[in-house]
Amino acid sequence: MPTSTAKIEELVSREYQHGFYTPIEEETLPPGLNEDIVRLISAKKNEPAWLTEWRLKAYRHWLTMKEPTWQNVRYQPIDYNAIHYYSAPKMKSRPKSLDEVDPELLRTYEKLGIPLREQELLAGVAVDAVFDSVSVATTFKEKLAEHGVIFCSFSEAVQNYPDLVRQYLGTVVPYNDNFFAALNSAVFSDGSFCYVPKGVRCPMELSTYFRINAAKTGQFERTLIIADEGAYVSYLEGCTAPMRDENQLHAAVVELVALEGAEIKYSTVQNWYPGDKEGRGGIYNFVTKRGICLGRGSKISWTQIETGSAITWKYPSVILRGDDSVGEFYSVALTNHYQQADTGTKMIHLGRNTRSTILSKAISAGHGQNSYRGLVKVMRGAEHARNYTQCDSLLIGDRCGAHTFPYMEVRNSTAIVEHEATTSKISEEQLFYCQSRGILLEDAVSMIVSGFCRQVFQELPMEFAVEAHKLMGVSLEGAIG
Amino acid sequence: MSMSKQPLLEIRNLHVSVDGTPILRGIDLLIHRGEVHAIMGPNGSGKSTLCYVLAGREGYTVTKGQVLYEGRNLLEMSPEERAHAGLFLAFQYPVEIPGVGNMYFLRTALNAIRKHRGLEPIDAMDFLQLVREKAKLVGIDERLLKRSVNEGFSGGEKKRNEVLQMAILEPTLAILDETDSGLDIDALRIVADGVNALRNEQHAVLAITHYQRLLEYLVPDYVHVLVGGQIVRSGGPELAAELERRGYADLEPQATATLQ
Amino acid sequence: MSTRASAATARALSRDSGFVPPLHGFASYESAAAQFAASGPAWLRQLRAAGLETFRQLGFPTTRIEDWKYSDTTPIVRELFQPPLPSPETQVDLGLWKPWLYSECARLVFIQGRLVASEVAALAQPDQVTLLSLQDALAKEESYVRRVLGACAPLNERSFTALNLALLHDGAWVRVVPGTRLTTPIQLLFVGGSVERPSILCPRNLIVLGDVAEATVIECWIGQSGASFFTNEVTEVVLGEEAHLTHLRIVEERGAMLHLGLTTVQQSRGSTYRSQVVTFPGQWTRVEVLTRLEAQGATAFLDGLFVANDNSFVDHHTAVDHVHGGTTSRQLYKGVLDGAAHGVFNGKVFVRPGALKSDAQQMNKNLLLSDNAEIDTKPQLEIFADDVKCSHGATIGRLDDNALFYLRARGVPADEARRLLIYGFANEIVERVPLEIAERSLRAILQRRLAGAPQED
């Protein structure tokens, strides 16, 4: 009845916990975008000419493109000339070790729960810390190098492994793929680069922690992960930002390449600032993530927990080119207050016996609007392709919305494609049942929501699963009641 | 009924409406620790309403009367407070909670109640052992424990799961809402055994049932007949057998009100 | 920049140059419109003018419009379709269409958009129902017609609806008075095409059931063999409180026949709309059913079956709008695609804010029988209320290998086993057809189309 719905709503809104700002001296390029800015960013990173040219090509193409309007989200037009495209903490040169890193930065990451000193870290996780436009530290590089695993910031990779970067950059997400990908290709700042050589099982989890700090700055990271034949890597990313009344743009591109028999597991816990209870401020999260299963028997698995951002627009996808390759997408997306999410995936089946699984759990509370949008495409040659999709929505309160837009395009008669979707709310019966067993209302709600998300949480690496449970509890606060 | 000690549950002239329609029309009932009471009655007599009011479900309006539990006003307590205070309702239709593991659910409930009793949370190994032992007692397959709460359980499995919860949470007052319905004889005996195991000086049971069947295994100290929202007759176990023979037909509330 | 999501209600179609201006056919449509423009009462002439103006502005939709993403209108745009020539009033021999004349039905027969036969003698309650051509209805009960025409098929972004209105000439008018349970089914038979020139037909049918009225209406759309024509039909249905309509629509076309159908339904409290759409497409077919559940207890059952082969294109759109709470909808659409056919299903369930206790289910199942066939399916839910029960599902697959093997192991030849299974797949819809003669007729077509399906009866 209404009283408990009101209680549920109250429970699902707590304050954003990572909303602080780090007062640190940053070097910021003037706002606005033109070829000079693109060249300047490239020059700051001491990039080879081919990369500068690639950026310019992307920029010129971007000028001819229109911002997409098909997604089910509403926002004021973005003034691309009011955004700073580069901002970085002032450093003489890139620090050689953590001792050279500004202690203020280290404190920032400690506050976020990500200590960068290796002895303080969880033993099994290597971290690349990206602060606004630059990577400030990468841990465990030496240990990884023993196994031949390259894990560094994208900028470093351009300097140290230009051939690898040149071979794969833009092969999965071309510079002209879409409006935001083109923008990113022109102005991308930093991100992570990872290469796992043939037959190597990466000995630890790799992770990147993205932090937006400076005001009126966009973050345009670019991540490239290559798993060579028979390699395995599990990669995690986390994101937070300060609380501000204005919106900030985040337009990232992630490219994954899995060669024969390789497996990449990519997990995201996205907790960018979502804006306040009235819908003021928050990050515009327009992200292009795509992987290609190039070789036979390769596998790419995306898991995402999306609780932050005012607007989320992302469709982590897999192109299943290699025969017997596997694509997976597991998602929990939560929108509370005035948050909007339009997220899902694309599974493009090209190879024979390719398989994909999509599991999407959307939770809407407050005035939140949550859309699942997914494409399953089976091309003519994809004999015996198989897809199973399940999309469930949970509504909390009567002012939010849940939407499902699946697209299935099948051109092969041996394919089997299945889609199921349901919409439900937390039922009075479930709550009462829990309460009558002595479980407090807020615990009951968080239990039921976690239960709803369980199949997705199970896909997360252990360290992140705990984090995700906590995050769900926090993000839902205020939505119950 | 013994009046020498404070009753565990005291219902005084309880009137309850649902959506403006009166369902219970003046219930009086005294339950002491150590007693087993049975309430019998035809469909629509208000049996489930009584259960839900006692457990604190929303949507039931008490228009008159009082319910005291250990001398406290039960109607002011939230459902979880009632559970903490030792009141347990075995649901007629147990709810499915997808994704929430049965074990996890049980442990959360047990620890919530233990916390209220000033006890430490139960150790994981001890809990596992406790559940195994009780599960064996009520004949629940261990596979069911690993599944989500009641999800995909058969009717009988759901009922047994309720009895398992009861066995683990050890309530002071257990209310069984037609726990016998839909059970075969073996299951019925197991349920009754589970309830009988609780039977001692500290606990009390209120069994709501449509049939006399359960009462053969769970011999009550008192039997009450609920018709039209009123208790029209009370007596010993022999009353149940009488009802089985004669039915409820001649037990109209007005005609028999004086019997109280 | 601020991010209010509250405006995220129904998305208006993007006008982002998603229409192409009417090219080839336009001049002929203009002149056709001029031909009809002067006829009928003033309000109707105004409606036609408004339709023409909207069509001029919109032109034809392109695949850049989300709702037309998979429906390429090129075959319509590139052909020069002209309105049918006024034919001399000669006696028409209905014998040619004998299999389509369902016994026990009252019937209107239209050939090339013109009423050629009105067989109302079968009506058991002739005083309780008006069964007329739209032209005759305008003469006899204009005020009724005026209230209904255009009321539930508004123009907004629908250029083909606008074109239908611009060229509106005739159609069927079915009105059942309140409280009448019509025992005689009504059949509307439309035969399209002449061999002289490719024609465009824009019939408009109106079906009105008063409170507590009940009726069964069967529409059959067929073509003269070898003819090329484009039917752009609109049917508007208005159901009073507790009214029940069973509405079967069969499209059986072939060759260069193009068909675009739109049925829009308005449902009052406690009304039931039971729709069955069965299409055997020619070159290009798209059939849309849109219903608005406007009050408590309104219920819609939308069934569909499409069986396509060769190079045909077939598209089924549904939209169920749960405007009010306590409403129920069930959709089941099944597709069988062989040859190089291209099938589309696009279904939408919309639950408005506050429409609590809405209960919606939608299912689309497809069989792909050939590697050159193609299916695009897009079942959608848009939910703005929490206390609802909504689900949808879609499957795409081929015949079950195990079942095929089982049949063959029992001695059924492979080809026949295949047909048997396809027949079984389609049967779930066919067996729900209200009238036995219609059901038999559908089975016959299925057998023909599937070439050698097992005999029944």
Side-chain angles (χ1 to χ4, degrees), chain B residues 23-203:
Chain B
I23 305 291
L24 298 183
R25 301 187 294 173
I27 302 276
D28 288 281
L29 189 65
L30 274 182
I31 298 178
H32 293 85
R33 287 173 191 264
E35 295 173 355
V36 173
H37 290 245
I39 292 188
M40 301 183 69
N43 289 328
S45 57
K47 299 195 299 289
S48 284
T49 298
L50 180 60
C51 293
Y52 283 138
V53 170
L54 294 179
R57 186 173 187 146
E58 283 188 51
Y60 297 84
T61 314
V62 175
T63 53
K64 209 194 276 182
Q66 252 190 328
V67 181
L68 298 178
Y69 181 83
E70 295 179 316
R72 294 168 65 194
N73 182 352
L74 183 76
L75 301 176
E76 277 181 354
M77 295 159 73
S78 68
E80 55 266 42
E81 282 171 337
R82 298 179 201 207
H84 297 162
L87 190 143
F88 177 95
L89 170 64
F91 283 62
Q92 187 178 0
Y93 303 107
V95 183
E96 302 191 1
I97 311 178
V100 175
N102 214 4
M103 292 284 270
Y104 178 68
F105 175 81
L106 261 174
R107 197 168 151 196
T108 308
L110 179 60
N111 282 335
I113 289 167
R114 285 175 68 94
K115 188 177 167 194
H116 184 81
R117 291 175 185 162
L119 300 169
E120 289 293 305
I122 188 166
D123 172 83
M125 287 314 292
D126 292 347
F127 177 71
L128 193 65
Q129 204 180 339
L130 175 70
V131 173
R132 284 209 173 126
E133 176 195 318
K134 301 289 186 186
K136 209 168 159 190
L137 201 71
V138 300
I140 278 206
D141 194 321
E142 282 202 32
R143 282 180 301 118
L144 294 185
L145 297 173
K146 292 185 182 124
R147 300 233 297 261
S148 296
V149 180
N150 292 323
E151 198 179 35
F153 287 25
S154 72
E157 286 168 345
K158 282 182 182 169
K159 294 292 171 71
R160 287 187 204 201
N161 200 26
E162 292 293 288
V163 177
L164 173 67
Q165 290 177 15
M166 187 175 74
I168 286 170
L169 301 179
E170 295 187 317
T172 314
L173 175 61
I175 302 168
L176 313 178
D177 186 5
E178 303 213 13
T179 302
D180 52 335
S181 65
L183 292 185
D184 59 33
I185 286 294
D186 290 339
L188 197 66
R189 192 173 289 139
I190 286 166
V191 167
D193 288 348
V195 177
N196 283 327
L198 265 183
R199 211 165 173 174
N200 62 36
E201 283 310 299
Q202 287 314 304
H203 302 99

Side-chain angles (χ1 to χ4, degrees), chain A residues 134-266:
Chain A
V134 295
S135 164
V136 292
T138 310
T139 64
F140 289 113
K141 273 198 315 205
E142 289 74 19
K143 178 148 190 251
L144 288 167
E146 288 170 20
H147 295 82
V149 175
I150 302 169
F151 181 48
C152 62
S153 74
F154 200 92
S155 308
E156 269 178 273
V158 170
Q159 302 305 318
N160 300 337
Y161 314 99
D163 295 345
L164 272 174
V165 173
R166 194 169 185 179
Q167 186 182 346
Y168 289 106
L169 178 69
T171 58
V172 191
V173 180
Y175 70 87
N176 57 358
D177 187 80
N178 68 67
F179 182 83
F180 295 110
L183 178 63
N184 174 285
S185 301
V187 302
F188 71 87
S189 33
D190 219 336
S192 301
F193 175 85
C194 171
Y195 172 81
V196 186
K198 242 181 220 184
V200 172
R201 209 183 150 82
C202 186
M204 56 176 73
E205 305 274 349
L206 305 185
S207 80
T208 304
Y209 196 90
F210 294 99
R211 175 74 179 168
I212 294 179
N213 190 59
K216 298 192 168 62
T217 303
Q219 193 178 48
F220 305 94
E221 86 260 8
R222 185 139 195 140
T223 293
L224 175 57
I225 298 176
I226 301 140
D228 212 326
E229 290 172 19
Y232 168 83
V233 62
S234 169
Y235 174 93
L236 332 164
E237 64 173 355
C239 342
T240 59
M243 288 161 70
R244 292 211 171 86
D245 277 352
E246 77 269 18
N247 299 106
Q248 277 180 281
L249 179 62
H250 170 255
V253 170
V254 175
E255 297 179 278
L256 311 182
V257 180
L259 301 181
E260 187 172 331
E263 180 178 348
I264 302 175
K265 188 171 171 55
Y266 192 107

Side-chain angles (χ1 to χ4, degrees), chain A residues 269-280:
Chain A
V269 173
Q270 184 266 104
N271 187 24
W272 296 118
Y273 177 54
D276 69 10
K277 287 177 181 168
E278 311 304 321
R280 276 187 302 261

Side-chain angles (χ1 to χ4, degrees), chain A residues 349 376 378 385-389 408-410 415-419, chain C residues 377 394-397:
Chain A
H349 293 256
V376 174
V378 179
R386 182 88 176 81
N387 163 266
Y388 175 72
T389 300
M408 282 153 274
E409 304 177 3
V410 180
I416 300 177
V417 175
E418 286 172 274
H419 172 96
Chain C
T377 173
T395 62
I396 299 164

